[in-house]
Amino acid sequence: MAEKKFTVLDLLELELSGHDALDLKCIAGRRGLPRAITVPEINRPGLALFGFYESFSSNRVQLFGRGETAYLQKLKKEHNIELIQNFFTPQMPCCVFTYNLEPTEAFRKLAEENCCPLLQTSLTSTEFSNRLTRAFSNIFAPRQTLHGVLVEVYGIGILLNGHSGVGKSETALELVERGHRLVADDIVEIRCVNGNVLLGRGANTVVSHHMEIRGLGIINISQLYGVGAIREQKEVQLIVQLEDWNSNKAYDRLGTDQKYQTLLGVNVPVIEIPVRPGRNLPIIIEAAAMNERLKNMGYNSAKEFNQNILRWIENGDTQKVFNGNDDSY
């Protein structure tokens, strides 16, 4: 199934608020709103307006600030329409005027004739560029959907993996009961932002904060525990692989050999936790989250322990332990 294209109309209808709001409105060229935006970048068309079209990035959103708008006014005074006509020859997604600036009447008329949407925002050119870049970073980010449960434990985004029935949802429910937060249950959508940051959220935002507990059914975490028990998205910083206890498998007991799993080209630390009756998984996961925070701060418990053992051996303390200190023999 082909992925739905992102259009200028979609850009206008983005539901962004606060410091992410684009404050866009269409002032001309509405017939071109279905045009697709295929490149998540912005272009300042100063050279193109001047008549230089080599390496003109016509497939990008064109940004008109004070300089470009002042040049349009200059062309208006000189009655130079040819340069503006040439500007609309290559098809572009749309033109955005910042500072609530207005295009000249000739520019508006040509935009209507060529079905090129003209958008307007009250933001400054720099602020609009920053916000649009952030929006494009999310919209065009590579993404992957997988089965699992995403929770936030002590500020660390942990993805719980494992086969069906191993206890992922029950473990997440106990973590929520202990004051941590649920991001998504069952189906998690992972997006790679800025090339190395993995953001996870529910693949379906309507049901992402609902949880299926065998024997109990579907429960709504936000209704049971309050809005403080949920989060819309979180960076995936650790993967916990839950698996049935295998007595024939040698599990890592020191933690010196860190394993990784690659998601969308990013290596994420992985720990394997064997599941069997009597093991308190939520406490183990809490300890793993705190240990991961220490690693991010530059302290590795396993490596520190290993170095202390090596220093102990090098100082000759092992000989005292095994040989004893009695000189009567």
Side-chain angles (χ1 to χ4, degrees), residues 113-180:
E113 293 176 358
N114 290 274
C115 299
C116 179
L118 299 186
L119 309 183
Q120 187 184 63
T121 177
S122 61
L123 300 174
T124 66
S125 298
T126 301
E127 184 62 25
F128 177 78
S129 299
N130 292 336
R131 296 188 185 190
L132 186 60
T133 300
R134 287 200 302 268
F136 279 164
S137 179
N138 288 324
I139 294 166
F140 290 90
R143 59 194 65 206
Q144 176 182 349
T145 302
L146 44 82
H147 290 281
V149 181
L150 182 59
V151 291
E152 182 193 53
V153 181
Y154 294 131
I156 298 294
I158 299 179
L159 179 65
L160 304 179
N161 274 346
H163 65 78
S164 179
V166 76
K168 299 186 296 295
S169 295
E170 290 81 356
T171 301
L173 182 61
E174 176 64 23
L175 287 169
V176 170
E177 179 71 30
R178 297 170 68 91
H180 306 294

Side-chain angles (χ1 to χ4, degrees), residues 20 66-67 118 124 137 155 168 170 182 194 260 300-301 329:
D20 293 323
R66 288 174 172 168
L118 299 186
T124 66
S137 179
K168 299 186 296 295
E170 290 81 356
L182 173 72
N194 298 328
Y260 294 91
N300 191 308
S301 302
Y329 291 94

Side-chain angles (χ1 to χ4, degrees), residues 210-236:
H210 292 70
M211 184 177 288
E212 178 192 356
I213 305 296
R214 286 175 172 80
L216 181 60
I218 303 296
I219 61 175
N220 189 325
I221 297 299
S222 62
Q223 292 294 327
L224 284 176
Y225 297 94
V227 294
I230 61 173
R231 180 163 180 166
E232 293 300 322
Q233 68 176 7
K234 176 64 182 176
E235 180 183 355
V236 179

Side-chain angles (χ1 to χ4, degrees), residues 7-8 36 107 138 141 155 181 186 227 230 240 280 292 299 304:
T7 66
V8 180
F107 192 88
N138 288 324
R181 295 196 280 183
D186 192 27
V227 294
I230 61 173
V240 172
N280 195 324
E292 187 64 24
Y299 177 81
E304 179 71 17

Side-chain angles (χ1 to χ4, degrees), residues 19-273:
H19 295 294
D20 293 323
L22 299 176
D23 191 28
L24 283 173
K25 62 181 179 181
C26 183
I27 57 177
R30 292 186 177 275
R31 289 180 298 169
L33 290 178
R35 286 188 179 182
I37 299 176
T38 58
V39 179
E41 296 179 15
I42 305 170
N43 183 61
R44 301 294 293 263
L47 289 175
L49 290 173
F50 191 71
F52 183 79
Y53 287 96
E54 294 184 22
S55 301
F56 175 46
S57 301
S58 60
N59 55 351
R60 301 182 185 180
V61 172
Q62 307 298 316
L63 182 63
F64 284 73
R66 288 174 172 168
E68 291 83 0
T69 307
Y71 186 71
L72 291 181
Q73 294 293 337
K74 179 177 180 296
L75 294 179
K76 175 183 177 181
K77 293 178 181 179
E78 297 175 352
H79 302 286
N80 192 342
I81 305 298
E82 182 180 356
L83 288 178
I84 304 178
Q85 290 174 333
N86 294 336
F87 177 74
F88 285 102
T89 300
Q91 188 177 94
M92 60 198 72
C94 63
C95 300
V96 180
F97 286 80
T98 57
Y99 297 98
N100 274 336
L101 295 170
E102 294 282 347
T104 61
E105 190 59 35
F107 192 88
R108 186 191 296 262
K109 181 179 179 181
L110 287 170
E112 290 283 1
E113 293 176 358
N114 290 274
C115 299
C116 179
L118 299 186
L119 309 183
Q120 187 184 63
T121 177
S122 61
L123 300 174
T124 66
S125 298
T126 301
E127 184 62 25
F128 177 78
S129 299
N130 292 336
R131 296 188 185 190
L132 186 60
T133 300
R134 287 200 302 268
F136 279 164
S137 179
N138 288 324
I139 294 166
F140 290 90
R143 59 194 65 206
Q144 176 182 349
T145 302
L146 44 82
H147 290 281
V149 181
L150 182 59
V151 291
E152 182 193 53
V153 181
Y154 294 131
I156 298 294
I158 299 179
L159 179 65
L160 304 179
N161 274 346
H163 65 78
S164 179
V166 76
K168 299 186 296 295
S169 295
E170 290 81 356
T171 301
L173 182 61
E174 176 64 23
L175 287 169
V176 170
E177 179 71 30
R178 297 170 68 91
H180 306 294
R181 295 196 280 183
L182 173 72
V183 181
D185 178 63
D186 192 27
I187 302 179
V188 182
E189 181 187 78
I190 308 294
R191 292 172 296 124
C192 182
V193 180
N194 298 328
N196 61 353
V197 177
L198 296 177
L199 291 180
R201 65 180 181 184
N204 188 330
T205 56
V206 176
V207 299
S208 59
H209 296 135
H210 292 70
M211 184 177 288
E212 178 192 356
I213 305 296
R214 286 175 172 80
L216 181 60
I218 303 296
I219 61 175
N220 189 325
I221 297 299
S222 62
Q223 292 294 327
L224 284 176
Y225 297 94
V227 294
I230 61 173
R231 180 163 180 166
E232 293 300 322
Q233 68 176 7
K234 176 64 182 176
E235 180 183 355
V236 179
Q237 298 160 285
L238 179 66
I239 297 176
V240 172
Q241 183 71 34
L242 301 179
E243 58 183 55
D244 294 325
W245 185 285
N246 185 355
S247 58
N248 297 320
K249 181 176 179 179
Y251 294 101
D252 187 9
R253 302 183 64 178
L254 296 179
T256 54
D257 297 328
Q258 179 66 67
K259 296 181 179 179
Y260 294 91
Q261 180 177 336
T262 302
L263 294 176
L264 298 174
V266 180
N267 291 330
V268 183
V270 177
I271 61 173
E272 296 176 343
I273 298 181

